[in-house]
Amino acid sequence: MPEIKPGSRFASSVCTTEIIIVKGFGDCDLCCGGAGMEAPGAPRDERTPSPQAAEGTQMGKRYVDAAETIEVLCVKPGDGSLGIGNVLLKLKDAKPLPASD
Amino acid sequence: MNIMMLLEMAANGFGERVAVGSHTGGLTFQQLYDRAGAAAGRFRADGVTAVAMVDVSSVALPISLFGAAWANLPFVPLNYRLSNDELSRQGERIAPAVAIADPSAVGRLIGLGGVEVLNRSDLLDSIVDAPVPEAGWEILGEGTAVLLFTSGTTGEPKAAVLRHRHLVSYILGSVEFMSAGEDEAALVSVPPYHVAGIAAILSNVYAGRRIVQLPTFDAAVWIDLVRTEEVTSAMVVPTMLAQIVERLDAEGPSGMGLPSLRTLSYGGGKMPRPTIERALQLLEHTAFVNAYGLTETSSTVALLGPVDHRDALASDELSVRARLGSAGRPLPNIEVSIRDENGSEVAIGSPGEVWVRGDQVSGEYEGLPSQLTAAGWFPTRDGGWMDDAGFLHVTGRIDDVIVKGGQNVSPGEIEDVLVRHPEVADAAAIGLPDTHWGERIVAAVVRAYESQVTAEELQEAVRTELRSNRTPDHVEFVEALPYGDTGKLLRRVLRADLAHLGDGSTL
């Protein structure tokens, strides 16, 4: 099980998704498309996302677990859905703020 | 989390969009990424520990900011208006460094020990089509991204440390990736050494908004750029807005206005009420945003949004109208608490010191222990209070509070009354030594054009609106008030200029 901390980066082993951890520490069964995520650059296998985790990820969106103790940022989109084990992460609601800079 | 991650995402997500410059001929996000990489290669080869910049805004600014991050070096924009002495002292503090300079500053830096001077145009020429190194930036974000010298009230300026994780937290918490439309453009007229100048680059890169730069502020050029570049958002400091309003007023009702400008944000100092009210009237289709923040908090921590502005302007209720002068509500990832001298939270509506907490808050200066409390709060040294709807009202620097006869008097409330007077163009209140009262209140006033208003009339105006202990003991008429180039009133300078009006025996 990989160890996560803010800034660390993971890639899906079954699709093109890549994420960066924004919040969360420790061992975590981080999955994408139903399969464990790996360090970026690791060889991808031939599998495709499992049908239970195939809604896809969107570039620049943040995903959180129910308790919001873990938050990840999608830096490359793909076909799989993110999850901790079998539990899917949900898209974080973002309240739009007016441009201030 | 490194600020390079923001640019990498922009290059991957919308690499062909123009990032900086004109519609035609500007640099795309992919080009900005490539040039930052090439610049990083150059910075690293120089064997330095920091990348400084003594220059106005140009395309070299985002390239160097990201290039330094790519090379794992802090970026240190210095104030090009500093005297040679001040500049050398700050240069010594960051040496060995490479300093990017515009041609006029190059001469001032030559001979500075440990500082290698790099002419802006030489840098820009050398990175066109130069090799882009492998991405090698530190990903956790502990490193220093930006070092900003703040104007200290006494002694040498302190250098605020903004780590990558602070700046990235600010961006992730306040900007949605690619939230800008392809037609959007932001006009940046604050200098590189102001935290808002850095924040503007990061926010607009992440939002995918084209950046148009104005190197030296001039209201006529600013208005012209908004029109020709079809600028949709801009950030200004109060003195800039005052000049823009004056200029638009002079164009009269037949003027073109600024139809492309959807959002105008302001901050960096207290906005005089007459200026913002007039701006709201002149630019009725523009959404106004007041952003409150400090260098040490990675820019904005509270916002007064467009609807709040219009609601306040339209309201008959004094407490709602007063929100026009407020800093609005804290950002979603920021907590604000008002504390007394002992650090205890005060009741809603009571004045105290503004404390802030959040992942973007650094509260750290180079060479000094962290200024954060054990619970992570940063005491800002700004005075303020919170109203019952959660709006933060900032009254000014605590160190500027006048203590007269044991009573605390905030200069801001006196200044508010004075600048609303039709015969006053500008005003500032300061405390000067007084044997009997400890401090006496002195108001420095710039009369409106051709006005002959007297000191007694102005004292009476303050007395009618505020408690009598707020009345200035003396009103001094001056030609102009001293402002820094980013619009901050220089109270120290004013106090020194008017020192003769204090009670000499206590000086």
Side-chain angles (χ1 to χ4, degrees):
Chain A
M1 202 180 287
E3 192 191 340
I4 63 165
K5 55 183 165 182
S8 55
R9 197 158 174 160
F10 295 94
S12 172
S13 46
V14 297
C15 74
T16 51
T17 299
E18 277 189 36
I19 58 111
I20 284 180
I21 307 291
V22 174
K23 204 164 123 188
F25 284 95
D27 293 336
C28 176
D29 184 17
L30 198 60
C31 293
C32 179
M37 298 189 83
E38 310 275 350
R44 245 185 28 228
D45 49 42
E46 298 297 310
R47 288 176 292 169
T48 51
S50 85
Q52 286 78 38
E55 278 172 32
T57 51
Q58 293 172 59
M59 175 83 165
K61 294 291 181 195
R62 287 179 290 164
Y63 297 84
V64 289
D65 63 346
E68 299 209 5
T69 51
I70 292 170
E71 180 176 327
V72 308
L73 171 71
C74 172
V75 294
K76 272 188 197 154
D79 298 330
S81 302
L82 297 162
I84 312 284
N86 293 326
V87 185
L88 295 187
L89 298 182
K90 62 178 175 49
L91 191 66
K92 183 175 175 157
D93 298 326
K95 281 186 219 145
L97 290 172
S100 68
D101 299 306
Chain B
M1 293 185 291
N2 192 296
I3 59 168
M4 263 311 299
M5 173 192 94
L6 307 174
L7 178 58
E8 188 187 27
M9 288 173 69
N12 286 336
F14 38 83
E16 297 311 305
R17 278 196 193 184
V18 174
V20 199
S22 217
H23 275 303
T24 50
L27 215 56
T28 66
F29 285 97
Q30 186 62 50
Q31 287 171 324
L32 177 57
Y33 177 88
D34 291 343
R35 285 179 206 199
R42 169 127 202 200
F43 298 152
R44 261 193 229 147
D46 289 327
V48 295
T49 56
V51 176
M53 175 169 271
V54 188
D55 201 352
V56 295
S57 277
S58 79
V59 70
L61 172 61
I63 290 173
S64 307
L65 169 66
F66 288 113
W70 192 316
N72 296 315
L73 296 168
F75 180 66
V76 195
L78 299 176
N79 185 342
Y80 45 81
R81 289 173 198 256
L82 292 178
S83 71
N84 286 347
D85 267 3
E86 292 168 314
L87 199 57
S88 358
R89 281 205 298 277
Q90 296 189 0
E92 276 164 21
R93 283 169 65 178
I94 55 164
V98 59
I100 298 136
D102 82 345
S104 68
V106 167
R108 303 176 61 201
L109 294 166
I110 290 199
L112 216 60
V115 177
E116 188 209 331
V117 186
L118 182 53
N119 201 313
R120 182 215 297 166
S121 54
D122 291 345
L123 170 71
L124 293 178
D125 290 347
S126 72
I127 55 174
V128 180
D129 299 325
V132 178
E134 285 287 305
W137 54 85
E138 180 251 348
I139 56 168
L140 299 183
E142 268 310 311
T144 302
V146 180
L147 209 55
L148 288 173
F149 284 91
T150 63
S151 40
T153 43
T154 50
E156 284 294 304
K158 290 181 284 190
V161 176
L162 299 179
R163 299 181 183 277
H164 286 276
R165 59 184 164 85
H166 298 130
L167 292 169
V168 174
S169 294
Y170 168 60
I171 297 303
L172 295 185
S174 62
V175 186
E176 271 297 289
F177 180 72
M178 210 171 94
S179 51
E182 279 205 67
D183 58 333
E184 291 189 34
L187 178 53
V188 181
S189 49
V190 282
Y193 55 83
H194 193 289
V195 68
I198 300 295
I201 293 173
L202 300 177
S203 305
N204 290 307
V205 161
Y206 198 61
R209 195 178 290 113
R210 179 168 63 98
I211 295 170
V212 177
Q213 296 170 307
L214 174 56
T216 311
F217 181 79
D218 175 284
V221 181
W222 188 94
I223 289 169
D224 196 46
L225 270 177
V226 170
R227 289 171 180 161
T228 54
E229 288 291 339
E230 294 171 274
V231 165
T232 53
S233 64
M235 189 269 167
V236 291
V237 299
T239 45
M240 294 177 185
L241 188 60
Q243 292 170 48
I244 292 163
V245 162
E246 199 176 304
R247 192 91 203 172
L248 290 173
D249 252 337
E251 290 186 358
S254 60
M256 294 161 66
L258 301 171
S260 67
L261 193 66
R262 295 176 208 166
T263 309
L264 184 58
S265 118
Y266 60 92
K270 197 171 167 57
M271 178 64 76
R273 192 75 77 82
T275 304
I276 187 62
E277 288 186 355
R278 186 68 189 130
L280 280 160
Q281 289 163 352
L282 283 167
L283 302 170
E284 53 177 334
H285 302 297
T286 300
F288 282 77
V289 179
N290 178 10
Y292 164 72
L294 297 92
T295 305
E296 297 88 335
T297 61
S298 308
S299 193
T300 310
V301 290
L303 279 183
L304 184 76
V307 179
D308 301 327
H309 274 84
R310 301 287 171 191
D311 284 354
L313 194 66
S315 179
D316 295 328
E317 233 177 289
L318 269 179
S319 63
V320 177
R321 231 183 135 81
R323 286 180 194 150
L324 200 50
S326 81
R329 283 176 284 218
L331 295 189
N333 293 346
I334 286 287
E335 296 170 85
V336 171
S337 172
I338 309 295
R339 305 293 177 106
D340 64 17
E341 302 86 9
N342 305 317
S344 308
E345 192 162 59
V346 303
I348 294 290
S350 301
E353 182 179 6
V354 178
W355 287 26
V356 296
R357 182 163 73 174
D359 288 340
Q360 72 185 65
V361 177
S362 130
E364 187 188 345
Y365 303 104
E366 182 77 7
L368 292 173
S370 168
Q371 310 291 302
L372 302 184
T373 68
W377 290 97
F378 175 61
T380 61
R381 299 302 294 156
D382 273 340
W385 54 281
M386 196 75 103
D387 73 15
D388 52 10
F391 286 78
L392 171 66
H393 298 253
V394 179
T395 46
R397 299 301 287 168
I398 287 175
D399 304 323
D400 295 333
V401 166
I402 303 164
V403 186
K404 180 183 173 184
Q407 299 285 313
N408 286 348
V409 179
S410 166
E413 47 180 333
I414 300 169
E415 291 160 4
D416 284 349
V417 175
L418 289 172
V419 295
R420 274 204 306 272
H421 194 284
E423 296 199 57
V424 171
D426 202 0
I430 54 169
L432 289 174
D434 184 287
T435 336
H436 186 63
W437 295 104
E439 281 190 303
R440 66 179 61 160
I441 304 171
V442 174
V445 171
V446 182
R447 283 194 183 105
Y449 182 63
E450 290 189 333
S451 159
Q452 291 301 320
V453 70
T454 65
E456 291 71 28
E457 286 168 314
L458 294 178
Q459 283 166 323
E460 186 52 34
V462 177
R463 193 176 296 120
T464 342
E465 278 206 51
L466 304 173
R467 275 174 282 172
S468 64
N469 67 349
R470 263 70 173 161
T471 310
D473 299 291
H474 179 88
V475 175
E476 182 76 358
F477 292 104
V478 294
E479 288 289 309
L481 294 175
Y483 284 100
D485 54 326
T486 52
K488 272 210 176 73
L489 177 67
L490 303 175
R491 290 180 194 272
R492 266 180 306 161
V493 175
L494 188 62
R495 264 193 289 271
D497 288 350
L498 301 182
H500 61 281
L501 298 171
D503 187 330
S505 62
T506 59
L507 281 176

